[in-house]
Amino acid sequence: MDALIAAHTTLEKRANLSKALADVDTLIQTLQNTRDSIQQHPDAAPLRIAELKKPIKQSFDKIEEDLKEVNKGLNQYQKALKEKFKAGALPNLGFGGGGDDAAEGGEDEGGEAVGLGSESKRGLLDRAIAMHLLREGKFGVASTFVAEVDAKRRREQRRKRRKVDHSQDGEEMDGVVVDGGDEAPGDEEDGSGTLPNDQDSWIRDFQTEARPDPDDIMSSSSAADLSTSPADPLARGHLQQKFAEMYRILDALRNHHNLQPAIDWAAQHSAALDQRGSTLEFELSRLKFVELYSSHTPPTPTPTTPSELSGPLSALAYARRTFPTFSTRYATETVALLGSLAFAPDLASSPYHNLFTTHSTYATVSQAFTREFCTLLALPAASPLYTATTAGTIALPVLAKLASILNKSRGQWTSVNELPVETPLPPGFSFHAVFVCPVSKEQATDANPPMMLPCGHVIAKESLEMHARGKSRMKCPYCPGECRPSEARRVYV
């Protein structure tokens, strides 16, 4: 790995394209000057073109010389990559056109193909990719991807249904699968234009009749005006509609520091947020209070409505309308915010100044909003594809070292769903509790789940079976309590 890092460092040093770019700019300027001269004096065109021959050749020679070091560093880096990651035979994942659904790993006992090449696994992978594109705001790419997946699935279904006994010349070809090409809409078995396979039902949540342009919603100048009404192309699919709403609110938060769309959304889902114990609604309201408090708009001489107030008076009017909702759960915080109004002329020297220097920033609130929005959709806060890729990248060095050691020692690891080494991951990648049996000192698995005895102690299923072997009643390994093995209950962690 050190050789690869050294080659990468060398490439970074040599990949200086400033000289090459400068020479290209000089060449372009020369051509533009010649073009302008010809436009002014058309009769001199042959002479001007003849004069270009030598400068152009010299410019190309300079550019080629400038790129020599870059090409040299790139070649060395490619050699280091090939040396480190030697090419090997890749498994057939069944993604190629006309390929088998099963991977080379074979089939399970029920005859279903296993591995990524199996149809069920491919459906999960396709959904993960489409979901990641939606979460990144790439609605156009997501729509195109889902449409292509849908079209491919339809072709595969037709190939499986169309088996012919004879070819066109009359020769018998039993069991040959023929691709019938494109069919008219509604030619599917269920006549609905949608694949009857349940595992493809997720496609309906992604499908749209039109795609927004540009692809990246956040790069659009009209992102804040996105509608989630049924007339909007993004709203034709359930997930597009939801994520379009999320990005509309995020655009207002990040780019315009407009809290109102997020506040309205939090108020609409207040019951669900409170049930989760979320603080998002109060954090948004507190940030709005601070924003109004710090506003420097000249006050109206004789204000008659709350909207005409400014500064602390505007914050006070907002607190009167909003804070009663939070008075029970956030009594201490609301009292402190209201107490700061008494020190409005000199807030910096007041005991409440920290409320205005450590409050949630727009970036923090945006992250919290994204997390709560996805949670209410029963989705994880981070993209599963991103999480899996990141975890795999972190664990790859450990697994590569393990493979190297096993190859050198000619050893094998045969335990299913386990590794002989721990792959350390950051705390953010821990999504569930881990139970280690106090008897066997082994981590629980689906095949060996934790079991709770009537006395309340928990041991692994294999330990339970070992202690209860040949006995109608067994003693708890950690207390005098006795019970029948059938009285133990599985614990889900």
Side-chain angles (χ1 to χ4, degrees):
M1 202 69 181
D2 293 338
L4 183 60
I5 295 175
H8 186 271
T9 304
T10 303
L11 176 61
E12 287 183 333
K13 292 179 179 179
R14 291 180 172 176
N16 184 5
L17 299 177
S18 57
K19 291 179 62 178
L21 292 175
D23 291 336
V24 171
D25 291 338
T26 302
L27 176 59
I28 293 174
Q29 187 62 44
T30 301
L31 294 173
Q32 289 177 343
N33 293 338
T34 303
R35 181 195 61 186
D36 296 340
S37 177
I38 292 175
Q39 288 178 348
Q40 295 177 2
H41 306 284
D43 297 338
L47 178 61
R48 295 290 179 264
I49 293 176
E51 292 175 348
L52 274 179
K53 184 176 181 181
K54 185 176 180 180
I56 289 179
K57 184 178 183 304
Q58 291 176 346
S59 297
F60 277 115
D61 291 341
K62 285 185 179 180
I63 295 172
E64 186 176 353
E65 184 67 25
D66 295 337
L67 294 177
K68 277 186 178 180
E69 287 296 315
V70 178
N71 292 331
K72 185 177 180 181
L74 186 59
N75 290 334
Q76 291 179 352
Y77 184 61
Q78 289 177 340
K79 289 180 181 179
L81 279 176
K82 291 180 180 179
E83 183 65 25
K84 179 63 180 177
F85 304 103
K86 295 182 179 179
L90 295 176
N92 177 18
L93 298 181
F95 285 103
D100 296 330
D101 287 331
E104 288 185 353
E107 299 180 350
D108 59 12
E109 294 179 358
E112 182 182 355
V114 296
L116 282 178
S118 64
E119 194 168 345
S120 59
K121 301 299 189 299
R122 282 189 296 168
L124 293 175
L125 182 59
D126 290 339
R127 188 183 191 280
I129 294 173
M131 180 66 71
H132 179 77
L133 293 172
L134 280 185
R135 296 174 74 113
E136 293 297 316
K138 305 291 185 180
F139 294 107
V141 179
S143 297
T144 301
F145 175 78
V146 172
E148 292 181 357
V149 168
D150 191 23
K152 182 177 179 180
R153 298 292 175 83
R154 293 172 188 272
R155 290 194 299 269
E156 290 177 353
Q157 291 289 336
R158 289 196 294 266
R159 280 199 294 266
K160 290 179 180 179
R161 292 197 301 264
R162 290 192 167 193
K163 292 188 177 181
V164 296
D165 296 328
H166 299 86
S167 63
Q168 293 181 353
D169 58 1
E171 294 181 358
E172 185 173 353
M173 297 179 63
D174 293 336
V176 175
V177 180
V178 177
D179 186 0
D182 295 334
E183 296 183 5
D187 192 33
E188 292 77 8
E189 286 184 356
D190 61 355
S192 63
T194 303
L195 287 176
N197 197 341
D198 290 339
Q199 70 186 17
D200 295 324
S201 61
W202 63 270
I203 294 179
R204 290 193 293 269
D205 284 339
F206 289 84
Q207 285 175 327
T208 58
E209 295 181 10
R211 293 187 295 274
D213 187 26
D215 174 63
D216 188 350
I217 189 172
M218 296 309 295
S219 65
S220 173
S221 59
S222 60
D225 298 328
L226 281 172
S227 169
T228 56
S229 64
D232 191 325
L234 293 178
R236 299 185 190 278
H238 169 71
L239 290 175
Q240 277 90 335
Q241 177 185 5
K242 293 298 183 181
F243 280 104
E245 179 185 10
M246 185 185 80
Y247 270 96
R248 177 179 61 83
I249 297 174
L250 285 177
D251 179 70
L253 278 174
R254 294 170 177 171
N255 300 330
H256 306 285
H257 287 185
N258 182 7
L259 294 165
Q260 197 56 47
I263 292 175
D264 294 340
W265 181 88
Q268 183 181 356
H269 300 85
S270 179
L273 293 173
D274 286 343
Q275 187 176 5
R276 278 183 32 80
S278 171
T279 62
L280 176 64
E281 187 176 9
F282 176 72
E283 289 297 328
L284 289 168
S285 298
R286 182 169 68 170
L287 188 56
K288 183 67 174 179
F289 177 88
V290 173
E291 178 187 282
L292 294 173
Y293 195 112
S294 305
S295 63
H296 300 290
T297 306
T300 304
T302 55
T304 58
T305 62
S307 61
E308 295 178 350
L309 299 173
S310 66
L313 292 179
S314 177
L316 176 60
Y318 177 78
R320 286 173 173 171
R321 298 193 308 270
T322 308
F323 282 5
T325 307
F326 309 109
S327 59
T328 302
R329 184 178 176 186
Y330 302 99
T332 303
E333 290 84 351
T334 54
V335 167
L337 289 171
L338 292 173
S340 66
L341 294 170
F343 297 86
D346 190 14
L347 184 62
S349 60
S350 73
Y352 302 104
H353 71 278
N354 62 316
L355 298 177
F356 295 83
T357 56
T358 61
H359 63 79
S360 299
T361 62
Y362 288 95
T364 304
V365 169
S366 298
Q367 294 175 359
F369 167 76
T370 303
R371 181 173 61 253
E372 297 298 339
F373 191 98
C374 293
T375 301
L376 293 187
L377 289 178
L379 296 173
S383 165
L385 184 63
Y386 170 81
T387 301
T389 304
T390 305
T393 303
I394 296 174
L396 184 59
V398 177
L399 299 178
K401 186 174 182 179
L402 171 63
S404 176
I405 294 174
L406 291 178
N407 287 336
K408 291 180 180 179
S409 62
R410 299 184 181 275
Q412 291 183 345
W413 183 256
T414 57
S415 295
V416 180
N417 296 328
E418 290 185 14
L419 288 173
V421 293
E422 183 179 358
T423 52
L425 294 175
F429 288 84
S430 298
F431 301 101
H432 58 81
V434 175
F435 174 77
V436 177
C437 177
V439 177
S440 63
K441 310 301 181 184
E442 294 181 353
Q443 183 174 320
T445 62
D446 290 338
N448 183 30
M451 306 292 292
M452 178 180 288
L453 304 178
C455 60
H457 290 107
V458 181
I459 60 177
K461 182 179 180 180
E462 292 180 356
S463 299
L464 172 67
E465 294 173 348
M466 180 184 66
H467 278 74
R469 187 173 300 165
K471 303 176 184 177
S472 60
R473 296 182 65 84
M474 59 167 285
K475 178 181 175 298
C476 172
Y478 288 92
C479 73
E482 293 186 359
C483 66
R484 289 189 294 272
S486 59
E487 294 177 339
R489 294 291 179 264
R490 178 173 178 175
V491 177
Y492 293 88
V493 294

